Amino acid sequence: FSTAIVITEQPVSVSVPVGYSFTLRCRAQGQTSLQFQWFCQYQSDCRLIPGATNQDLPIIAEQTQLYTCRVNDLHRNAVFSDWVKVEVHQCVARGLPPQLWQGEPVIVLNPSEQRVEVGQPLQLQCAAMGVPAPSYQWYRNGNLLEQQKRKKLLITHTKVSDSGTYLCCASNRHGEHWTNAVDVHIGEQSQPTSLCCKSPGGRCKIALLVGNNRYQHHPNLMAPVRDVFELSRLLKHLGFQVVSLLD
């Protein structure tokens, strides 16, 4: 008679720069003493890691791989932990991550402006480092896009209404970080527009909005990005040409 092994702490996915040192953890409970064995998978090749028989697996990041831990007891019962992804960024801009990086999200790839014909696919891409690996959420004109929760935003058949300003939030338990905001032009809106919207008196009406959330000596604001987009929408309705900047 034996009781099933229970994994009490699963390893977690990470997204780190090449050469970064960290540890994957797996914890489990059972009726007898437990044995641990780690495995890794690169592309379609899954293999046992020689000597990786502890609860903790020290890693120096070299390439993106998947990892899992097998836990077995003296009754030959065995369970596997969740598969986790160690995403390794080979090319990281100088100065990233910060010297005293604690695992908070750091954007390493920002989306770029797109001009797309109606009915054609739209793809925006971003990437962030983080320990644990960040989750992603895309926004258009400050509005959450419920289905867009991956690094890559994909709309297979675009409509004119898909035009707007897009950005993505990368977050983990240490905090959140936003990509640059980029404009997407669909169909007839891909044609160049006049830089200046004039008031009835013939003067240009241009508004500059800055959403800042990185103060040195002041707590972070609640929602500067959302505020910028809400103000931008209102000012455009009033006939302003709006330029929005973040941080």
Side-chain angles (χ1 to χ4, degrees), residues 31-240:
Q31 290 297 303
T32 70
S33 60
L34 300 176
Q35 297 174 325
F36 296 80
Q37 176 63 60
W38 289 87
F39 295 80
C40 68
Q41 178 175 327
Y42 176 67
Q43 296 178 346
S44 59
D45 179 29
C46 181
R47 61 181 178 84
L48 177 150
I49 304 174
T53 56
N54 295 321
Q55 299 177 87
D56 294 341
L57 177 66
I59 294 177
I60 299 176
E62 295 180 355
Q63 61 187 3
T64 297
Q65 294 188 119
L66 300 175
Y67 291 84
T68 187
C69 185
R70 184 189 67 202
V71 185
N72 61 273
D73 62 16
L74 300 183
H75 299 294
R76 296 186 178 179
N77 297 310
V79 296
F80 282 84
S81 72
D82 295 340
W83 282 96
V84 294
K85 184 177 184 179
V86 173
E87 183 179 30
V88 179
H89 297 274
Q90 299 291 338
C91 299
V92 177
R94 183 167 47 193
L96 295 177
Q99 192 171 10
L100 299 178
W101 189 45
Q102 299 298 312
E104 66 275 13
V106 176
I107 302 295
V108 295
L109 176 64
N110 280 286
S112 57
E113 181 176 346
Q114 301 286 327
R115 295 179 181 272
V116 179
E117 295 300 321
V118 172
Q120 295 300 306
L122 166 67
Q123 180 172 289
L124 297 173
Q125 187 172 354
C126 72
M129 297 186 301
V131 181
S135 57
Y136 296 88
Q137 178 61 64
W138 287 88
Y139 295 79
R140 181 181 67 241
N141 298 334
N143 297 313
L144 183 147
L145 299 173
E146 189 65 40
Q147 305 303 317
Q148 303 291 351
K149 296 179 180 292
R150 298 177 180 270
K151 287 187 294 183
K152 290 184 179 180
L153 175 148
L154 178 63
I155 300 175
T156 54
H157 300 286
T158 54
K159 307 181 295 293
V160 172
S161 59
D162 292 320
S163 295
T165 302
Y166 287 75
L167 81 169
C168 186
C169 178
S171 62
N172 64 12
R173 65 169 179 253
H174 299 295
E176 64 182 33
H177 205 96
W178 296 78
T179 66
N180 295 339
V182 297
D183 291 329
V184 171
H185 310 273
I186 309 295
E188 63 268 24
Q189 296 193 17
S190 65
Q191 300 302 318
T193 57
S194 171
L195 177 64
C196 185
C197 300
K198 293 188 176 181
S199 66
R203 294 182 178 179
C204 287
K205 297 166 61 177
I206 300 177
L208 172 63
L209 299 178
V210 179
N212 192 16
N213 197 35
R214 284 192 254 174
Y215 293 99
Q216 289 185 333
H217 305 292
H218 191 282
N220 288 345
L221 303 179
M222 291 295 292
V225 176
R226 175 65 65 89
D227 293 343
V228 164
F229 281 118
E230 292 297 328
L231 281 172
S232 175
R233 182 184 306 172
L234 173 62
L235 289 168
K236 286 179 180 179
H237 182 71
L238 296 175
F240 283 81

